[in-house]
Amino acid sequence: MEHAAKRLCPSCGDELSEAALSQQKYCSLTCRERMKKRRRRLKEGSSEPAELQRLQAVDRHVEKLQSDYRKLLRRFEARDRKIRRLEHALRRADTQLEAVAHDQALRTRAVRDELAASRREVATVKRNWSIEADADRAGAMVTDLRTRLAVANEKYSELAMKYRELTDAAKYAAAERKHLQGIVRQWDSMCKRLNTATGGRPRKEADKKVLATWKQFRKLVHS
């Protein structure tokens, strides 16, 4: 949401074009000449020097207000850029956290399945060991099952290590999300102040979009 630092012609009140030079005050030569004649008439026709000084002071005050207005618009531009970065970072953190949680759930389920299969194999070895009459055959089966159990234990160790890594990643993502939530609360507070200052009816189109986004955000949060 970009704000344009608008400048108004002090003669007719129209907006100066974007191509106008920084020192240009009037939108046309006609307006400039009109203001020059107006000041001359005021100077010649006024018998009160104080009145002329007052009008000049008003003119300077108008110029100062226009300068302050441009500075305020630049501050709003910087604020809007910051809000966009924060919204983008929050969406990215949410996506990463969901991906980590989903991957962690899948890997945890795989570890449990591996452990269950290993227990079943151990139970089968124990049962066959007690009823098998052929010692050679029993020894070969036990050796094979022990080998398979060793492989399963190795896989379990690898999966356990990956599980710990995923747990650490999930904790980091949760901490980052908490930080971003704090930033979003600050953005929410800024939008409240803007809404209060403008009575919910800002004049600038960009401010209207900011408040519309904020109201939609509040609606989703409280729904």
Side-chain angles (χ1 to χ4, degrees):
M1 291 167 247
E2 295 295 336
H3 298 282
K6 297 181 179 180
R7 293 184 296 157
L8 304 180
C9 175
S11 176
C12 64
D14 290 341
E15 180 183 348
L16 271 65
S17 66
E18 295 181 357
L21 299 177
S22 60
Q23 65 270 23
Q24 183 176 336
K25 294 177 58 178
Y26 304 100
C27 62
S28 65
L29 292 175
T30 301
C31 285
R32 186 175 66 182
E33 291 299 321
R34 183 187 300 123
M35 286 299 292
K36 185 185 297 183
K37 291 178 181 178
R38 185 181 302 170
R39 285 193 296 268
R40 186 167 58 249
R41 285 196 304 269
L42 288 173
K43 185 175 181 180
E44 293 174 353
S46 176
S47 60
E48 296 285 343
E51 180 67 15
L52 179 59
Q53 293 177 0
R54 189 186 67 81
L55 292 174
Q56 292 174 344
V58 169
D59 191 25
R60 289 193 297 270
H61 183 62
V62 169
E63 292 180 356
K64 183 179 183 302
L65 289 177
Q66 290 179 345
S67 176
D68 293 341
Y69 174 71
R70 290 192 292 271
K71 291 179 181 178
L72 182 60
L73 287 181
R74 286 194 291 271
R75 290 178 59 189
F76 275 120
E77 290 174 0
R79 179 208 60 189
D80 291 341
R81 287 194 294 271
K82 184 176 180 180
I83 288 174
R84 286 197 299 274
R85 289 196 297 268
L86 293 176
E87 290 175 341
H88 177 70
L90 183 59
R91 288 194 297 269
R92 183 177 56 191
D94 286 339
T95 302
Q96 292 175 350
L97 185 59
E98 290 176 0
V100 169
H102 179 69
D103 192 26
Q104 181 178 347
L106 293 178
R107 292 179 181 273
T108 301
R109 188 178 305 143
V111 170
R112 291 175 179 172
D113 292 341
E114 290 283 346
L115 289 175
S118 299
R119 292 191 183 101
R120 287 194 296 269
E121 290 180 357
V122 171
T124 301
V125 169
K126 291 180 178 179
R127 286 195 302 271
N128 291 336
W129 207 336
S130 61
I131 64 175
E132 188 63 49
D134 190 345
D136 292 336
R137 183 178 177 184
M141 181 179 293
V142 169
T143 301
D144 178 66
L145 289 175
R146 285 178 177 174
T147 301
R148 294 169 64 186
L149 181 59
V151 173
N153 286 334
E154 183 177 356
K155 289 182 179 179
Y156 170 77
S157 298
E158 294 176 356
L159 291 172
M161 182 178 296
K162 291 180 180 179
Y163 177 80
R164 287 193 295 270
E165 293 174 355
L166 288 172
T167 300
D168 293 339
K171 290 180 180 179
Y172 176 80
E176 184 178 6
R177 178 183 176 86
K178 182 177 181 181
H179 176 67
L180 290 174
Q181 286 175 341
I183 296 176
V184 169
R185 284 194 294 270
Q186 294 177 0
W187 167 71
D188 181 60
S189 178
M190 291 174 61
C191 289
K192 284 181 180 178
R193 290 197 298 269
L194 175 61
N195 186 58
T196 302
T198 60
R201 296 181 178 180
R203 297 176 60 187
K204 299 304 176 183
E205 190 63 27
D207 287 345
K208 292 180 181 178
K209 293 180 179 179
V210 169
L211 289 183
T213 302
W214 171 70
K215 290 178 181 178
Q216 184 66 23
F217 168 77
R218 299 280 294 180
K219 182 179 179 182
L220 293 175
V221 169
H222 295 291
S223 61

